[in-house]
Short mmCIF file of all heavy atoms in Angstrom, two decimals:
data_model
loop_
_atom_site.label_atom_id
_atom_site.label_comp_id
_atom_site.label_asym_id
_atom_site.label_seq_id
_atom_site.Cartn_x
_atom_site.Cartn_y
_atom_site.Cartn_z
N LEU K 50 -114.79 -82.85 -75.67
CA LEU K 50 -114.56 -82.28 -74.30
C LEU K 50 -115.82 -82.17 -73.59
O LEU K 50 -116.88 -81.93 -74.20
CB LEU K 50 -113.86 -80.89 -74.42
CG LEU K 50 -112.55 -80.81 -75.07
CD1 LEU K 50 -112.10 -79.36 -75.18
CD2 LEU K 50 -111.45 -81.56 -74.33
N ASP K 51 -115.80 -82.32 -72.22
CA ASP K 51 -117.03 -82.05 -71.43
C ASP K 51 -116.94 -80.66 -70.94
O ASP K 51 -116.04 -79.89 -71.28
CB ASP K 51 -117.14 -83.05 -70.30
CG ASP K 51 -115.97 -83.05 -69.31
OD1 ASP K 51 -115.25 -82.03 -69.36
OD2 ASP K 51 -115.82 -83.95 -68.51
N ILE K 52 -117.91 -80.25 -70.12
CA ILE K 52 -117.92 -78.82 -69.67
C ILE K 52 -116.83 -78.48 -68.72
O ILE K 52 -116.54 -77.31 -68.48
CB ILE K 52 -119.33 -78.47 -69.04
CG1 ILE K 52 -119.59 -79.48 -67.85
CG2 ILE K 52 -120.42 -78.58 -70.00
CD1 ILE K 52 -120.81 -79.12 -67.10
N ARG K 53 -116.14 -79.53 -68.15
CA ARG K 53 -114.92 -79.28 -67.25
C ARG K 53 -113.63 -79.30 -68.05
O ARG K 53 -112.61 -79.35 -67.55
CB ARG K 53 -114.92 -80.33 -66.18
CG ARG K 53 -116.06 -80.25 -65.21
CD ARG K 53 -115.95 -81.34 -64.18
NE ARG K 53 -117.04 -81.23 -63.18
CZ ARG K 53 -118.27 -81.65 -63.32
NH1 ARG K 53 -118.68 -82.17 -64.47
NH2 ARG K 53 -119.18 -81.46 -62.41
N LEU K 54 -113.80 -79.40 -69.50
CA LEU K 54 -112.68 -79.38 -70.37
C LEU K 54 -111.84 -80.64 -70.20
O LEU K 54 -110.64 -80.65 -70.44
CB LEU K 54 -111.83 -78.15 -70.27
CG LEU K 54 -112.55 -76.82 -70.56
CD1 LEU K 54 -111.55 -75.67 -70.46
CD2 LEU K 54 -113.25 -76.80 -71.86
N ARG K 55 -112.52 -81.76 -69.81
CA ARG K 55 -111.83 -83.04 -69.84
C ARG K 55 -112.27 -83.84 -71.07
O ARG K 55 -113.35 -83.60 -71.59
CB ARG K 55 -112.22 -83.80 -68.55
CG ARG K 55 -111.80 -83.17 -67.27
CD ARG K 55 -112.33 -83.81 -66.10
NE ARG K 55 -112.03 -83.20 -64.83
CZ ARG K 55 -112.49 -83.55 -63.61
NH1 ARG K 55 -113.44 -84.53 -63.57
NH2 ARG K 55 -112.08 -82.91 -62.53
N PHE K 56 -111.36 -84.67 -71.54
CA PHE K 56 -111.66 -85.41 -72.77
C PHE K 56 -112.77 -86.42 -72.51
O PHE K 56 -112.78 -87.14 -71.52
CB PHE K 56 -110.46 -86.19 -73.20
CG PHE K 56 -109.40 -85.32 -73.84
CD1 PHE K 56 -108.23 -84.93 -73.17
CD2 PHE K 56 -109.57 -84.77 -75.13
CE1 PHE K 56 -107.30 -84.18 -73.74
CE2 PHE K 56 -108.61 -83.91 -75.72
CZ PHE K 56 -107.50 -83.63 -75.06
N ALA K 57 -113.84 -86.27 -73.39
CA ALA K 57 -114.99 -87.19 -73.32
C ALA K 57 -115.63 -87.19 -74.68
O ALA K 57 -115.68 -86.19 -75.39
CB ALA K 57 -115.99 -86.66 -72.23
N ALA K 58 -116.13 -88.38 -75.05
CA ALA K 58 -116.75 -88.52 -76.36
C ALA K 58 -118.21 -88.04 -76.34
O ALA K 58 -118.94 -88.16 -75.36
CB ALA K 58 -116.74 -89.95 -76.79
N GLY K 59 -118.58 -87.37 -77.39
CA GLY K 59 -119.99 -86.93 -77.59
C GLY K 59 -120.22 -86.55 -79.00
O GLY K 59 -119.34 -86.54 -79.86
N ILE K 60 -121.50 -86.22 -79.28
CA ILE K 60 -121.81 -85.85 -80.71
C ILE K 60 -123.07 -84.99 -80.71
O ILE K 60 -123.87 -85.03 -79.81
CB ILE K 60 -122.13 -87.17 -81.58
CG1 ILE K 60 -122.21 -86.87 -82.99
CG2 ILE K 60 -123.44 -87.83 -81.02
CD1 ILE K 60 -122.17 -88.04 -83.93
N VAL K 61 -123.01 -84.04 -81.71
CA VAL K 61 -124.21 -83.16 -81.90
C VAL K 61 -124.63 -83.40 -83.37
O VAL K 61 -123.85 -83.44 -84.32
CB VAL K 61 -123.81 -81.73 -81.72
CG1 VAL K 61 -125.00 -80.79 -81.96
CG2 VAL K 61 -123.22 -81.45 -80.39
N VAL K 62 -125.92 -83.71 -83.55
CA VAL K 62 -126.46 -84.10 -84.85
C VAL K 62 -127.63 -83.19 -85.19
O VAL K 62 -128.50 -82.90 -84.36
CB VAL K 62 -126.92 -85.51 -84.88
CG1 VAL K 62 -127.45 -85.94 -86.21
CG2 VAL K 62 -125.76 -86.50 -84.44
N LEU K 63 -127.64 -82.73 -86.40
CA LEU K 63 -128.73 -81.86 -87.00
C LEU K 63 -129.52 -82.62 -88.00
O LEU K 63 -128.88 -83.13 -88.96
CB LEU K 63 -128.16 -80.54 -87.53
CG LEU K 63 -129.10 -79.67 -88.25
CD1 LEU K 63 -130.12 -79.07 -87.27
CD2 LEU K 63 -128.39 -78.58 -89.05
N THR K 64 -130.81 -82.60 -87.86
CA THR K 64 -131.68 -83.19 -88.87
C THR K 64 -132.55 -82.05 -89.44
O THR K 64 -132.43 -80.90 -88.96
CB THR K 64 -132.53 -84.36 -88.38
OG1 THR K 64 -133.59 -83.82 -87.48
CG2 THR K 64 -131.69 -85.37 -87.67
#
Side-chain angles (χ1 to χ4, degrees):
L50 298 175
D51 62 14
I52 57 176
R53 294 176 176 83
L54 300 184
R55 298 173 181 171
F56 286 104
I60 193 169
V61 183
V62 179
L63 173 69
T64 72

